[in-house]
Amino acid sequence: MKSIIELDGNTLTRQQIEEIVKGQATVALATESLERIRLSRERIEKRLAEGQTIYGVNTGFGKLSNIKIEEEDIELLQLNLLRSDATGVGEPFPTDVVRAMMVLRANALARGFSGIREETVQLLLNFINKGVHPIVPSQGSVGASGDLAPLSHLALVLVGEGKAEFNGEIMSGSEALKQAGLTPPVRLQAKEGLALVNGTQAMTGIGVLTVNEAERIGLAADMAASLTLEALKGITSAFDPALLAVRPHPELELVGGRIRKWLDGSKRVTKQGEIRMQDAYSLRCIPQVHGASWQSFFYAQDRVQTEMNATTDNPIVLESGGEVLSGGHFHGQPIALAMDFLKIGVCEWANISERRTERMVNPQLNEGLPPFLATNPGIECGLMIAQYTAASIVSENKVLAHPSSVDSIPTSGNQEDHVSMGTTSARQVRQIVHNAARVLAIELICASQAIHLDKAEEQLSPTTSKFLKKVREFCPPLLADQPIGDEIEALAKYLLSSNDLVNEYV
């Protein structure tokens, strides 16, 4: 039986979002949220009844905000906002992103600062629970005034327009509502269109999913490094706790401690001076490089966690005094910078991984292992081209890692004259994380092959030995040259999606 996660606008976690996105839990509004939503709506209606002018409620939008809208046109104003803003292009977001967007938008509305009606929020929750997934193009958001284009495509289905996927089929929004038993659609009232589309839920939705995946990839990087250290008889003196403590970055010590724990009991690793005095940087500097990448992860995690439980639309219906004030909470800069920082951190997990792969396949660097880890070098190329693939991917990542947040193009007649490009940052970082998973899969396969060729399985630590068995479920030791693209993809998918490292090894 599925669990029920109550949305209260304040306590949602990234783990809960993943449960909901995967269909392992349903959603409902918390009792206190219902009351806040009702009070917020009452304040909007009271202000309108008093004849007050409120941005986006009875005025135009953006540069058109000085145009007063007559009472009889207020509903049409909100509907036209959705229709005009639904101008996204490109490949649609995958279903997991759309579901995350819906959860986050509902959670933001549950905070009671948006002036929306309860029944509108409830229909959004019904979409999540019944599996109605609006088709949302991935391109078109500049990340300020919120994710207007993506959220408009999402909101159109609430009013019976746009397109949606239901039970694996793409259909009109009205047909999706009908088949899901959710008719009639919502008729938007004052403020509701703006409340649905003005927010950062596209970039944050991608960000939440990416942070979850990045955590797994960071742990996979630490595990791949551990297996490579064993494959190359690496020197563990560089991970001595007293040595690491003299440079007291917590993440540096975290990685060093984790690798010491995972290598405990290994007969493959060495001490300083046993075989050589120092390892290359890609082995010796694992705590420093991986640790710095974990810094970017923790920063992004914190920013995403805050944004998940924040109000990001405009104007805001305040609790104290019931004032309706315009501000800039829709601006995506906090998430844009976090995603750009995470892009760099994940790139470095992949960059140093590719260098460790090179050390295993290069006969000048691999401590006597067969050239390119081939069973029969010369007639066979072994894993030579696997390193090419890793090199190609890390080069691609370097292009994607260019910070999108440093760019800004004015919109809305220069009224919106600084934008975040945060959704672009988020889209790019998820691609980088998926690319990094492939690079780490290649390193793990190379380490597995090196250990096989050196007949070193019995010398591994208990922890790395256990994980090696999992790697070999996807790619057994290679006895001759063969295509391994499918194996790399399958292992990468496992690294991205499995919580084994989170739950069993940390």
Side-chain angles (χ1 to χ4, degrees):
M1 186 172 178
K2 295 180 181 179
S3 61
I4 300 174
I5 293 173
E6 291 192 340
L7 302 181
D8 62 10
N10 298 304
T11 60
L12 187 65
T13 68
R14 59 185 178 88
Q15 291 81 10
Q16 286 176 321
I17 287 183
E18 187 163 83
E19 286 182 58
I20 298 166
V21 164
K22 290 182 176 179
Q24 298 166 350
T26 59
V27 288
L29 283 172
T31 303
E32 62 270 27
S33 290
L34 286 169
E35 184 61 23
R36 289 197 299 264
I37 289 169
R38 290 167 188 158
L39 287 172
S40 178
R41 184 64 200 172
E42 288 173 7
R43 292 183 181 114
I44 285 288
E45 292 176 351
K46 180 175 183 291
R47 297 283 174 172
L48 281 174
E50 293 170 347
Q52 294 192 19
T53 300
I54 306 171
Y55 169 73
V57 176
N58 53 6
T59 75
F61 305 105
K63 191 71 172 177
L64 303 175
S65 61
N66 291 323
I67 299 176
K68 181 73 182 294
I69 306 300
E70 298 301 323
E71 183 177 352
E72 61 269 21
D73 293 327
I74 285 177
E75 284 190 24
L76 181 60
L77 172 73
Q78 301 301 312
L79 182 58
N80 281 344
L81 176 66
L82 269 56
R83 290 169 170 168
S84 66
D85 287 6
T87 55
V89 295
E91 287 296 313
F93 281 125
T95 299
D96 60 352
V97 171
V98 174
R99 287 182 64 79
M101 286 172 61
M102 290 193 290
V103 174
L104 289 169
R105 193 73 214 125
N107 194 56
L109 296 171
R111 304 193 79 226
F113 295 108
S114 301
I116 200 166
R117 291 176 301 151
E118 174 189 339
E119 51 263 47
T120 306
V121 182
Q122 187 57 58
L123 182 56
L124 186 55
L125 298 184
N126 289 338
F127 276 22
I128 298 165
N129 292 337
K130 289 181 174 286
V132 177
H133 304 130
I135 302 300
V136 181
S138 58
Q139 293 175 288
S141 175
V142 295
S145 247
D147 286 311
L148 291 175
L151 288 172
S152 294
H153 282 278
L154 189 155
L156 268 180
V157 183
L158 293 169
V159 300
E161 300 186 15
K163 294 180 182 179
E165 176 271 321
F166 182 67
N167 286 338
E169 294 185 22
I170 296 176
M171 59 192 74
S172 68
S174 59
E175 183 63 22
L177 285 167
K178 180 181 176 182
Q179 290 198 22
L182 296 175
T183 52
V186 161
R187 285 190 61 181
L188 297 178
Q189 296 185 13
K191 177 69 167 68
E192 291 197 294
L194 193 56
L196 287 167
V197 306
N198 207 338
T200 63
Q201 282 67 44
M203 68 181 80
T204 309
I206 304 167
V208 172
L209 300 176
T210 303
V211 164
N212 286 342
E213 292 172 337
E215 180 179 35
R216 299 178 188 120
I217 293 309
L219 292 170
D222 292 347
M223 180 59 78
S226 299
L227 276 165
T228 298
L229 282 163
E230 290 185 298
L232 294 176
K233 300 178 182 177
I235 300 168
T236 55
S237 305
F239 307 101
D240 183 277
L243 172 63
L244 297 183
V246 304
R247 193 182 188 189
H249 291 281
E251 297 82 7
L252 184 157
E253 296 182 271
L254 174 70
V255 172
R258 182 177 292 149
I259 290 180
R260 287 196 307 273
K261 174 184 173 184
W262 287 351
L263 292 177
D264 186 38
S266 174
K267 298 180 178 62
R268 283 287 293 186
V269 292
T270 61
K271 298 294 183 184
Q272 181 175 302
E274 283 185 19
I275 297 177
R276 55 192 175 274
M277 286 303 297
Q278 291 184 334
D279 278 326
Y281 287 3
S282 59
L283 300 178
R284 193 186 348 152
C285 300
I286 291 166
Q288 291 76 18
V289 176
H290 285 208
S293 291
W294 278 109
Q295 289 173 354
S296 74
F297 168 82
F298 289 127
Y299 179 80
Q301 174 188 245
D302 290 347
R303 298 284 67 76
V304 164
Q305 180 62 43
T306 298
E307 193 78 348
M308 283 164 42
N309 294 289
T311 299
T312 57
D313 56 313
N314 179 61
I316 303 298
V317 185
L318 297 177
E319 289 180 326
S320 58
E323 288 185 285
V324 183
L325 297 182
S326 289
H329 285 327
F330 48 73
H331 202 294
Q333 199 75 357
I335 296 300
L337 291 175
M339 294 300 99
D340 279 342
F341 189 18
L342 185 60
K343 282 158 63 172
I344 296 168
V346 177
C347 273
E348 284 305 295
W349 276 327
N351 284 349
I352 196 170
S353 171
E354 184 276 330
R355 290 292 81 201
R356 291 192 296 262
T357 292
E358 167 69 5
R359 300 201 76 79
M360 287 187 283
V361 301
N362 188 330
Q364 297 178 324
L365 305 172
N366 67 4
E367 304 297 332
L369 290 165
F372 304 105
L373 303 177
T375 303
N376 189 3
I379 194 171
E380 295 174 2
C381 292
L383 288 164
M384 179 192 295
I385 310 303
Q387 184 266 328
Y388 288 29
T389 301
S392 169
I393 293 170
V394 297
S395 180
E396 179 184 330
N397 275 354
K398 292 167 190 174
V399 176
L400 291 169
H402 177 83
S404 297
S405 59
V406 300
D407 185 32
S408 177
I409 298 176
T411 56
S412 192
N414 226 36
Q415 173 78 356
E416 299 163 4
D417 56 356
H418 183 278
V419 298
S420 74
M421 300 299 179
T423 307
T424 304
S425 296
R427 289 170 48 224
Q428 289 171 329
V429 72
R430 198 174 198 203
Q431 183 62 60
I432 287 170
V433 169
H434 288 201
N435 284 347
R438 298 179 176 104
V439 174
L440 289 163
I442 290 169
E443 181 185 358
L444 286 164
I445 289 169
C446 288
S448 168
Q449 185 70 359
I451 289 163
H452 163 72
L453 292 172
D454 220 23
K455 297 179 173 58
E457 282 85 353
E458 299 304 317
Q459 298 176 298
L460 303 183
S461 78
T463 301
T464 55
S465 178
K466 180 181 177 182
F467 196 78
L468 179 66
K469 291 182 175 68
K470 176 59 68 173
V471 172
R472 287 179 173 171
E473 289 178 17
F474 296 93
C475 186
L478 303 175
L479 304 179
D481 280 355
Q482 66 179 67
I484 61 166
D486 289 345
E487 287 81 354
I488 293 168
E489 285 289 344
L491 180 52
K493 184 177 180 180
Y494 165 76
L495 298 177
L496 282 168
S497 61
S498 172
N499 282 319
D500 286 354
L501 280 167
V502 178
N503 296 331
E504 296 183 31
Y505 295 88
V506 177

